[in-house]
Amino acid sequence: MVTFIKLTRYFTFINKWVVAITLALLMPLVTIFAILRSLNHPVLGDVELTQLAMVLLIMGSLAYTEKTNSHISIGIIVDRLPAKIQVIFDLAAHLLAFIFCLLVCWVFITESDFSKSTDLLNISFYPFKLFIVMGFAAWGLEIIIKCYESMKKIKRTE
């Protein structure tokens, strides 16, 4: 399990740096796009580039957000339950999220038309759809680690 955790964390680390680099490039580009648009000199394809960069930002941040427990959670009812039941609910939520990740990966691999491209700049969707699969796969791997940790908590509380 230690090797699995190390490989998953390395995969998450790579996704984190893809997001950081994309964000560092996107911030000045969007600023330039906005300034040029206000000066009546819009950049051709600026919206497409921003949308594609947002795919990288969102998909790349899924696993890191899971790793750092930064996903939004509201525990109005669950937080009032005993610790063991809270862990069981967490485990069930992790399993459902893992099934969702598997479903998204499966659909994008089997049902996507990888020959499509953007309308204006003709940028292929292939690498972005592949990154969507990678993002959800990394998120699913992080969820497996959370399930493992939840099971260890259940054994400790017995």
Side-chain angles (χ1 to χ4, degrees):
M1 190 63 178
V2 174
T3 306
F4 175 76
I5 292 173
K6 284 183 181 180
L7 286 173
T8 302
R9 295 291 152 88
Y10 181 70
F11 199 38
T12 301
F13 178 77
I14 291 171
N15 281 352
K16 179 181 81 168
W17 278 103
V18 167
V19 169
I21 292 167
T22 303
L23 190 59
L25 293 172
L26 188 61
M27 286 187 302
L29 283 176
V30 168
T31 304
I32 292 168
F33 295 158
I35 291 170
L36 289 175
R37 184 175 295 270
S38 67
L39 296 174
N40 290 326
H41 295 291
V43 176
L44 185 66
D46 61 342
V47 174
E48 282 184 0
L49 291 174
T50 305
Q51 289 172 344
L52 292 174
M54 292 303 293
V55 170
L56 295 177
L57 287 175
I58 294 167
M59 294 305 117
S61 65
L62 290 173
Y64 182 74
T65 306
E66 184 68 40
K67 176 186 170 198
T68 58
N69 282 330
S70 300
H71 285 289
I72 296 172
S73 65
I74 301 170
I76 295 172
I77 297 172
V78 176
D79 288 347
R80 297 174 190 218
L81 297 173
K84 185 175 181 179
I85 296 175
Q86 286 181 15
V87 173
I88 291 170
F89 272 104
D90 285 342
L91 183 61
H94 292 314
L95 289 174
L96 287 173
F98 180 71
I99 291 168
F100 175 74
C101 289
L102 284 178
L103 184 65
V104 169
C105 289
W106 178 72
V107 167
F108 266 90
I109 290 171
T110 60
E111 303 296 324
S112 288
D113 182 11
F114 288 103
S115 64
K116 290 188 177 182
S117 61
T118 60
D119 293 331
L120 189 61
L121 298 177
N122 204 24
I123 298 172
S124 176
F125 287 143
Y126 179 76
F128 297 97
K129 288 184 178 185
L130 188 62
F131 196 74
I132 290 171
V133 172
M134 288 174 44
F136 275 98
W139 186 20
L141 293 174
E142 286 290 341
I143 290 171
I144 291 172
I145 293 172
K146 293 289 172 119
C147 288
Y148 176 72
E149 292 169 355
S150 294
M151 285 188 223
K152 283 174 44 178
K153 283 182 187 177
I154 290 173
K155 286 183 182 180
R156 273 190 245 137
T157 58
E158 289 180 351

